[in-house]
Amino acid sequence: DEMKIEHTSRFGERLVAHFHRDVCYRWTVCLFAAAAECFNTLITPELSAYGLELTGIFCNLSGGLLCGLALALADLSPSARGFFEAFRGGFVAAYTSFCHLVEHSAALHCAKHPVMLHCFVGALMGGPMLFDVGRRAGRMMVDLVGKSSKKNQPARIRVGPGLVSTLLAVVVVAVAVEVQLHGSQAGLELAVGVLFTIAACFAGEVVAIASLEVMPAGSEVNWGTISANVAALSLLVVCQCSGQLHESAMASLPALPREVARILAAKFRSCFCG
């Protein structure tokens, strides 16, 4: 009998084990992220003042508040923990964007805008401050309800399949509403953005797991998030540097493929990298 030898890496084993565990929770996170993309497209207002685009700053600051609030409300019950942890990891992560902060600040710096430093520092400091405000407000709500179950929380985070179905329905309805409001092309762009956002969730997990192979074990630093942001910024730089090459390649395409390529490139940059 021939002996079968399997060659597996520790990274491969960890990756396979990770994606076979808590599948329902993982899809909940992805669909929360997709819902955030729909929310930003349909509901988030376009804000500006004194020639400054402020929508991204508003999302990052309000996202910090939501994140702190969700962190505290997760102590309400085991089911609440699953919901709010998925909300933080999916909706808040997609609603906010570190890459947008960097890109917006770089654009203001290149334009020599006088308030560039104020916007950058304000966003960096305002996010953590509003996170603490949200966390304190959430703790007050938990204390008011008087049902904190922090000591009895299970080790694993679980969510029910009903939440996955509800979020999927919300995303489908949002795309349909976008089609009704702004036409089929706008609906297509939102659908592509949703798919890129979901793909980014899985890609981010792969990068986070890979970071565990090279970073110190048991560290209190969230190397996974840092590594994912570095990877996203690197892709953003590649997109920026290859802009002229992309435009010249698109110019030779017929009208329909050119429009499809434009949508894919724009959503890759804003949803997958952002």
Side-chain angles (χ1 to χ4, degrees):
D1 294 336
E2 294 184 359
M3 183 175 63
K4 184 179 180 181
I5 301 177
E6 294 183 357
H7 296 278
T8 58
S9 66
R10 184 177 60 179
F11 168 70
E13 292 176 350
R14 184 177 290 175
L15 190 64
V16 171
H18 178 79
F19 282 107
H20 278 80
R21 185 175 64 247
D22 299 332
V23 176
C24 189
Y25 174 76
R26 186 158 297 105
W27 275 108
T28 302
V29 172
C30 291
L31 290 172
F32 260 129
E37 174 64 20
C38 296
F39 184 88
N40 281 339
T41 301
L42 288 169
I43 299 176
T44 303
E46 295 289 336
L47 303 175
S48 62
Y50 303 104
L52 283 175
E53 189 276 320
L54 300 177
T55 305
I57 295 176
F58 168 78
C59 288
N60 283 329
L61 293 179
S62 58
L65 182 70
L66 289 174
C67 189
L69 187 64
L71 178 65
L73 293 179
D75 292 337
L76 282 171
S77 67
S79 59
R81 183 189 179 209
F83 178 90
F84 285 111
E85 287 294 332
F87 178 81
R88 287 200 307 135
F91 188 95
V92 176
Y95 178 71
T96 59
S97 175
F98 178 74
C99 286
H100 177 273
L101 170 63
V102 175
E103 188 175 18
H104 185 238
S105 300
L108 291 179
H109 175 73
C110 293
K112 301 186 183 302
H113 203 287
V115 299
M116 184 280 297
L117 189 60
H118 302 78
C119 291
F120 183 71
V121 175
L124 285 181
M125 297 183 64
M129 291 174 63
L130 286 172
F131 171 85
D132 189 60
V133 171
R135 182 174 58 85
R136 291 174 184 271
R139 282 183 176 177
M140 292 175 60
M141 294 178 189
V142 172
D143 293 339
L144 186 63
V145 174
K147 292 184 178 181
S148 177
S149 60
K150 187 173 184 179
K151 295 181 180 179
N152 301 319
Q153 293 283 21
R156 296 179 66 180
I157 303 173
R158 296 185 181 276
V159 294
L163 182 56
V164 176
S165 302
T166 301
L167 288 171
L168 180 59
V170 167
V171 171
V172 171
V173 169
V175 173
V177 170
E178 179 70 3
V179 171
Q180 289 295 321
L181 292 177
H182 303 110
S184 57
Q185 181 172 330
L188 175 62
E189 291 183 9
L190 178 57
V192 172
V194 163
L195 293 177
F196 269 126
T197 300
I198 292 175
C201 292
F202 286 104
E205 290 193 67
V206 173
V207 172
I209 294 172
S211 70
L212 298 177
E213 299 295 316
V214 295
M215 294 305 175
S219 173
E220 294 183 358
V221 178
N222 191 339
W223 290 110
T225 299
I226 293 174
S227 300
N229 280 327
V230 169
L233 282 173
S234 300
L235 288 174
L236 198 61
V237 171
V238 172
C239 291
Q240 183 67 26
C241 294
S242 60
Q244 291 184 349
L245 179 63
H246 172 71
E247 292 295 333
S248 61
M250 286 201 356
S252 61
L253 295 175
L256 181 59
R258 186 189 312 127
E259 185 62 20
V260 172
R262 182 194 67 80
I263 293 174
L264 291 175
K267 292 303 178 180
F268 176 81
R269 178 166 181 160
S270 63
C271 298
F272 189 85
C273 300

